Amino acid sequence: MTKRTNTAVWMEKYHRWQINVQKDGKRKTFSCSTPGRAGQRICNAKADAWLDDVVSGTKRVSFLWPKYMTDLKTRSGYSHYNRYDSYWRLYINPAIGHMRVSDLDDARLQLVIDYAYKHPSKKKPLSKKYLENIRGALTNFVTYARRMKATAYHPENIVIPKNATRSNKKPMQPDDLKILFASDQTKYRKRVQTEQFIYAWRFAVVCGLRPGEVIGLTHRDIDGNICTIHGSINKFAERTSGKNENALRSFVIPPLGLKILADQATYMSLLNIRSKYIFPDAYGEAPSQQVYWKHWNSYRKYNGISETTPYEMRHTFFSVCKKLPPELVKQMGGHGKDMDTFGVYGHALDGEAELTASLVEQSFLQYIK
């Protein structure tokens, strides 16, 4: 930040306070017609705000990025911040950190994508989606740089390599589904016992929920046979508004899902656990994603289920329902146009959401019975 060394003076001829300031060769005049010392303070404050907000385009990207991250931290959760910090350390800084902000253009931002594609951090090719996320971080940084008056550049054509792989999604196989709905036993800490998250996994599969949505589900999210997803709990134990704008949704729970909820309530009663969460840990709190995944790996190995992750239970839902009308399934799974609660209740009344639940039910029963 450039410090102001002068102060506003009263211009009797124009009946106003006025101050001239300069930074990096740029000169600016600020004025205020409020009489008295209050007007002088206002005029000085205007100058200070401008001096603080202007960043010279000759500054390096490595100079402005930390300022951007500080700004980002005030507007997002730790998960988002941590992801952008990783992009910076692994790909952005090595490729363009030494460059001047004013020199940024499509060709230089493309260097980052190309560098990331050729230098994956774990020697495993980065997916198309991951590279798109890096591109998003770059365009957001440039937006910040424009706001700081460091550039006038607008990214237009940053392309993802054609050979970038798509994420390898592995839905559960039919035999895996049968085991999931037939066995509630697991071997955890060298002891065979009932798996505490068995109903959470079954509900996730039947309703197409993400892990964070399942562990964050509370009793207030269930109204009769309608479930409303208000948010999610990420791996840093932060409650967020969900992955995207479509994640906040409501849907009619299939009969199989209602039975799972009833079984979970009975199980919680037997354990004498009272919680606002539907699928809590042993202490009645929302389980961490790390514990949730660890339990799944133990259960999966003990029961001989194919190597899959809790997130791929959601992929299983879409795989099982692939023959159903896409517009119905996408709304339930949060991939389509976002639906508010009122809209879903309306659909429930005219039968559309009820039809979706019924079709999903039939799709699953052919695999698990």
Side-chain angles (χ1 to χ4, degrees):
M1 172 182 175
T2 299
K3 297 292 184 180
R4 174 174 52 83
T5 58
N6 58 338
T7 188
V9 296
W10 179 255
M11 309 292 289
E12 186 62 37
K13 180 179 179 181
Y14 303 103
H15 300 287
R16 68 187 184 195
W17 291 97
Q18 184 171 302
I19 184 172
N20 299 317
V21 288
Q22 183 173 315
K23 181 177 180 179
D24 297 319
K26 296 180 181 179
R27 184 180 176 86
K28 194 114 175 160
T29 298
F30 295 92
S31 62
C32 177
S33 59
T34 302
R37 294 301 173 186
Q40 185 184 41
R41 288 193 295 271
I42 293 173
C43 195
N44 286 337
K46 289 180 180 180
D48 289 338
W50 181 76
L51 290 170
D52 188 36
D53 196 41
V54 174
V55 174
S56 171
T58 62
K59 295 292 186 181
R60 308 291 175 180
V61 174
S62 58
F63 170 84
L64 189 56
W65 184 272
K67 296 180 180 297
Y68 167 60
M69 292 297 288
T70 299
D71 179 73
L72 181 67
K73 199 171 187 177
T74 65
R75 298 181 290 101
S76 66
Y78 182 72
S79 176
H80 186 68
Y81 175 89
N82 188 64
R83 190 165 64 250
Y84 272 40
D85 182 60
S86 176
Y87 297 157
W88 167 254
R89 289 185 291 101
L90 297 175
Y91 311 115
I92 300 174
N93 189 32
I96 64 170
H98 62 286
M99 295 182 182
R100 294 177 177 178
V101 177
S102 59
D103 290 338
L104 292 181
D105 55 21
D106 283 1
R108 288 171 173 79
L109 262 59
Q110 186 67 52
L111 290 175
V112 177
I113 302 300
D114 295 342
Y115 178 87
Y117 180 67
K118 295 176 182 177
H119 299 82
S121 62
K122 298 180 180 179
K123 298 182 180 180
K124 181 180 179 181
L126 299 181
S127 69
K128 180 175 181 286
K129 179 65 175 176
Y130 194 92
L131 293 171
E132 288 173 343
N133 289 340
I134 296 176
R135 180 174 61 187
L138 289 169
T139 56
N140 288 338
F141 169 71
V142 172
T143 298
Y144 173 79
R146 287 200 306 272
R147 178 153 59 89
M148 298 299 286
K149 314 297 192 299
T151 183
Y153 161 57
H154 287 258
E156 294 182 359
N157 189 31
I158 315 301
V159 300
I160 305 300
K162 292 182 179 179
N163 295 329
T165 61
R166 292 186 177 273
S167 300
N168 185 23
K169 300 176 182 178
K170 298 178 292 184
M172 298 171 69
Q173 298 304 306
D175 287 344
D176 298 332
L177 276 175
K178 290 178 182 178
I179 295 173
L180 178 63
F181 282 86
S183 172
D184 62 3
Q185 296 297 294
T186 189
K187 190 172 185 179
Y188 193 69
R189 294 179 177 173
K190 299 181 179 181
R191 189 178 70 178
V192 176
Q193 60 188 34
T194 299
E195 172 50 57
Q196 69 183 81
F197 296 124
I198 185 66
Y199 300 115
W201 299 330
R202 291 174 182 175
F203 193 74
V205 167
V206 170
C207 297
L209 301 186
R210 301 174 176 90
E213 293 171 345
V214 178
I215 65 178
L217 203 63
T218 67
H219 291 286
R220 79 180 183 92
D221 298 328
I222 307 296
D223 183 6
N225 69 338
I226 292 181
C227 175
T228 299
I229 303 299
H230 290 100
S232 178
I233 296 179
N234 65 23
K235 66 180 182 180
F236 299 105
E238 296 176 313
R239 176 165 284 278
T240 71
S241 59
K243 183 177 180 181
N244 51 51
E245 63 180 6
N246 295 324
L248 304 181
R249 64 196 185 279
S250 296
F251 57 87
V252 172
I253 305 169
L256 180 58
L258 293 174
K259 182 180 183 305
I260 293 170
L261 291 178
D263 290 341
Q264 171 66 6
T266 300
Y267 181 54
M268 289 293 98
S269 180
L270 290 173
L271 296 179
N272 197 29
I273 296 177
R274 294 183 179 181
S275 173
K276 69 176 183 178
Y277 296 102
I278 294 178
F279 304 107
D281 61 16
Y283 305 100
E285 300 297 328
S288 70
Q289 290 210 23
Q290 290 83 352
V291 168
Y292 189 74
W293 285 52
K294 186 176 181 180
H295 272 258
W296 170 249
N297 282 329
S298 297
Y299 173 85
R300 178 184 62 76
K301 292 175 182 177
Y302 178 76
N303 287 277
I305 292 177
S306 305
E307 186 175 351
T308 53
T309 69
Y311 199 99
E312 285 164 335
M313 294 175 185
R314 175 173 167 80
H315 301 155
T316 303
F317 165 81
F318 286 104
S319 180
V320 170
C321 299
K322 63 185 177 183
K323 294 182 180 180
L324 303 186
E327 63 276 8
L328 298 182
V329 178
K330 285 183 178 181
Q331 289 173 351
M332 183 173 176
H335 270 175
K337 186 177 180 181
D338 49 339
M339 298 171 59
D340 59 23
T341 303
F342 178 81
V344 171
Y345 274 88
H347 284 297
L349 291 175
D350 66 24
E352 184 177 296
E354 293 282 4
L355 173 62
T356 302
S358 176
L359 292 173
V360 169
E361 173 90 356
Q362 295 171 31
S363 297
F364 273 98
L365 289 181
Q366 66 177 316
Y367 287 102
I368 66 176
K369 276 196 172 182

